[in-house]
């Protein structure tokens, strides 16, 4: 049953619905969500209680459930329609889905529950949305698990990548679990790039590599040298972010997404060829809202070099509305919702990020598990 049909049904009776948690953020204000039928009957039994007229019950405890219709909601909350509600319902959405700041703990818990895992790989992509990746791969038929993940900081690299690695960093958490052999791969060394230094802290060996075939060769050598030992490998790769600025034509987005995913598959093939029990993870710092995907609504007069979708509190005077406020490391940031900009796009800006939208704020969290059948 579709969401609008379920809403109409609540005009007649309380409804027990199997529904995605984020879909509840699409409900109108006059539909009250009740967690269990037990909770509903407790309210009914209170003589002085004034029950709401529209009620949706999301968990059935099999108590008198025959009194209410039970339906399955076919609504997919993760479509472009999310842009209609994501700014106003941001906190509701954040409570009901995986958040980027939870990724390090999620991976740690995965590894803790699978003690046999020999190799853990985290593949970090600069600029890749859940929307674009799921247009490329068929989630239902894929051998990977793909979850949408909310970027719960402003959607730009210097804040979002540290949000993934977190503090204490994932490498250190895994070190305490026995993954003492650690390899980092980036476009920069820790000495020549502050972000690399932050993301790869506690990883003693960080290789500066751009060519992917070279990455595979270095990984193969590292894994061979630490055979029968636990290994953590963290890889940073460019995604679509590098194609946003200083480009007068839109890049071949589908081709780039395909290449990113094929690189991830190649990592799995390497570990499978070595017969290693491996867990691989892919995620991104943020997605991209591409030119042509929205009608620009300029609500400010920010200068040409200013960011289009976010600002600090000192720059708020350059725009007519503030957007959503974040406080990160005692610094205030203000991010605009869809489809608003602080200034018009330049001719060589093919996309934007830093704001709040389905395309920018929902990134993929991909998990693949390889089992040793030897």
């Amino acid at each position: 049953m579709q969401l609008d049909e379920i809403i109409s049904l609540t005009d007649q009776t309380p409804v027990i619905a199997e529904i995605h948690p984020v879909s509840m953020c699409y409900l109108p204000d006059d539909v009250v969500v009740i967690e269990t039928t037990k909770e509903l009957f407790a309210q009914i039994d209170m003589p002085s209680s004034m029950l709401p007229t529209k009620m949706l019950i999301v968990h059935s405890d099999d108590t008198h459930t025959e009194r209410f219709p039970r339906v399955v909601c076919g609504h997919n909350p993760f479509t472009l329609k999310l842009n209609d509600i994501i700014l106003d319902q941001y906190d509701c959405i954040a409570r009901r889905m995986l958040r980027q700041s939870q990724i390090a703990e999620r991976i740690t818990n995965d590894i803790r529950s699978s003690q046999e895992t020999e190799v853990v790989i985290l593949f970090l992509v600069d600029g890749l949305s859940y929307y674009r990746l799921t247009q490329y791969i068929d989630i239902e038929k894929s051998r990977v698990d793909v979850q949408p993940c909310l970027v719960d900081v402003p959607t730009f690299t210097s804040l979002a990548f540290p949000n993934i690695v977190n503090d204490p960093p994932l490498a250190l958490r895994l070190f305490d679990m026995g993954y003492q052999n650690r390899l980092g791969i980036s476009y920069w060394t820790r000495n020549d790039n502050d972000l690399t230094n932050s993301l790869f802290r506690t990883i003693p060996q960080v290789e500066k590599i751009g060519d992917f075939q070279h990455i595979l060769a270095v990984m193969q050598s590292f894994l061979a040298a630490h055979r029968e030992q636990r290994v953590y490998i963290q890889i940073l790769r460019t995604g679509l972010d590098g194609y946003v600025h200083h480009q007068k034509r839109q890049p071949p987005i589908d081709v780039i997404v395909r290449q990113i995913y094929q690189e991830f598959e190649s990592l799995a093939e390497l570990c499978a060829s070595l017969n290693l029990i491996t867990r691989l993870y892919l995620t991104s710092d943020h997605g991209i809202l591409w030119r042509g995907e929205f009608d620009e609504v300029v609500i400010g007069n920010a200068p040409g070099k200013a960011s289009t979708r976010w600002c600090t509190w000192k720059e708020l005077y350059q725009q007519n509305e503030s957007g959503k406020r974040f406080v990160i490391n005692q610094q205030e940031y203000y991010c605009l919702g869809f489809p608003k900009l602080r200034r018009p796009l330049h001719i060589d800006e093919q996309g934007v990020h830093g704001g709040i939208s389905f395309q920018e704020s929902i990134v993929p969290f991909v998990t693949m598990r390889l089992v040793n059948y030897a």
Side-chain angles (χ1 to χ4, degrees), residues 94-243:
R95 290 193 300 270
R96 297 181 182 277
M97 67 177 295
L98 174 66
R99 301 187 298 277
Q100 190 181 61
S101 59
Q102 297 174 322
I103 284 178
E105 186 63 23
R106 170 68 68 86
I107 294 174
T108 303
N109 290 337
D110 278 356
I111 304 307
R112 185 177 292 116
S113 66
S114 57
Q115 295 291 327
E116 76 282 2
T117 301
E118 298 170 288
V119 178
V120 181
I121 298 174
L122 176 60
F123 193 70
L124 297 169
V125 181
D126 187 2
L128 177 65
S129 68
Y130 174 82
Y131 171 58
R132 287 296 181 180
L133 184 62
T134 54
Q135 284 187 317
Y136 170 66
I137 63 172
D138 186 335
I139 296 177
E140 299 298 325
K141 297 179 181 179
S142 174
R143 62 171 174 161
V144 299
D145 176 66
V146 184
Q147 284 186 265
C149 176
L150 176 69
V151 182
D152 51 343
V153 294
T155 54
F156 53 87
T157 299
S158 61
L159 291 182
F161 268 145
N163 197 39
I164 298 170
V165 173
N166 220 271
D167 191 21
L170 178 60
L172 182 57
R173 300 183 196 206
L174 294 176
F175 178 90
D176 293 338
M177 297 169 60
Y179 293 84
Q180 298 177 0
N181 305 290
R182 292 151 291 156
L183 172 65
I185 298 173
S186 174
Y187 293 99
W188 307 274
T189 66
R190 291 185 59 182
N191 293 328
D192 62 18
N193 184 272
D194 289 340
L195 182 60
T196 295
N197 187 45
S198 173
L199 297 180
F200 290 86
R201 66 192 189 278
T202 77
I203 299 178
Q205 182 179 344
V206 179
E207 301 289 343
K208 180 178 178 179
I209 306 173
D211 178 69
F212 188 73
Q213 292 304 314
H214 188 192
I215 289 176
L216 292 176
V218 169
M219 280 183 56
Q220 184 165 13
S221 177
F222 188 84
L223 291 170
H226 297 90
R227 191 73 189 184
E228 299 183 2
Q229 300 177 46
R230 293 187 171 185
V231 170
Y232 172 62
I233 300 175
Q234 183 171 296
I235 303 170
L236 175 60
R237 295 290 285 167
T238 187
L240 289 161
D241 196 3
Y243 299 90

Side-chain angles (χ1 to χ4, degrees), residues 318-358:
Q318 297 169 342
Q319 58 199 63
N320 300 330
E321 56 187 79
S322 59
K324 179 168 178 58
R325 175 176 177 262
F326 293 88
V327 180
I328 313 292
N329 299 326
Q330 301 181 328
Q331 173 70 58
E332 292 182 34
Y333 301 90
Y334 293 84
C335 301
L336 294 179
F338 180 90
K340 297 176 182 178
L341 301 176
R342 302 180 66 240
R343 59 165 175 78
L345 290 178
H346 300 316
I347 192 171
D348 61 350
E349 286 181 299
Q350 294 303 316
V352 295
H353 61 90
I356 296 174
S357 68
F358 173 50

Side-chain angles (χ1 to χ4, degrees), residues 248-260:
K248 291 186 172 59
R249 294 183 179 180
Q250 190 172 98
I253 297 172
D254 293 342
V255 173
I256 298 165
V257 171
R258 184 180 304 113
Q259 183 180 25
I260 292 167

Side-chain angles (χ1 to χ4, degrees), residues 7-155:
I7 293 170
S8 296
L9 188 58
T10 61
D11 286 326
Q12 307 169 39
T13 175
V15 177
I16 302 170
E18 183 180 321
I19 184 172
H20 192 289
V22 174
S23 291
M24 289 186 275
C25 301
Y26 287 79
L27 295 171
D29 292 339
D30 59 348
V31 176
V32 175
V33 174
I34 297 178
E35 288 299 317
T36 65
T37 48
K38 183 178 181 180
E39 179 183 333
L40 173 60
F41 285 116
Q43 292 188 35
I44 291 173
D45 291 340
M46 292 175 63
S48 59
S49 66
M50 295 288 292
L51 292 176
T53 56
K54 298 182 179 182
M55 292 175 283
L56 188 74
I57 305 158
V58 293
H59 295 108
S60 172
D61 54 15
D62 297 324
T63 302
H64 303 297
T65 55
E66 70 280 357
R67 293 179 57 178
F68 307 115
R70 184 193 296 263
V71 301
V72 176
C73 180
H75 180 252
N76 174 13
F78 298 107
T79 69
L80 294 173
K81 287 289 187 181
L82 189 65
N83 283 325
D84 296 339
I85 69 163
I86 189 169
L87 182 65
D88 292 338
Q89 295 293 327
Y90 187 91
D91 293 335
C92 172
I93 293 167
R95 290 193 300 270
R96 297 181 182 277
M97 67 177 295
L98 174 66
R99 301 187 298 277
Q100 190 181 61
S101 59
Q102 297 174 322
I103 284 178
E105 186 63 23
R106 170 68 68 86
I107 294 174
T108 303
N109 290 337
D110 278 356
I111 304 307
R112 185 177 292 116
S113 66
S114 57
Q115 295 291 327
E116 76 282 2
T117 301
E118 298 170 288
V119 178
V120 181
I121 298 174
L122 176 60
F123 193 70
L124 297 169
V125 181
D126 187 2
L128 177 65
S129 68
Y130 174 82
Y131 171 58
R132 287 296 181 180
L133 184 62
T134 54
Q135 284 187 317
Y136 170 66
I137 63 172
D138 186 335
I139 296 177
E140 299 298 325
K141 297 179 181 179
S142 174
R143 62 171 174 161
V144 299
D145 176 66
V146 184
Q147 284 186 265
C149 176
L150 176 69
V151 182
D152 51 343
V153 294
T155 54

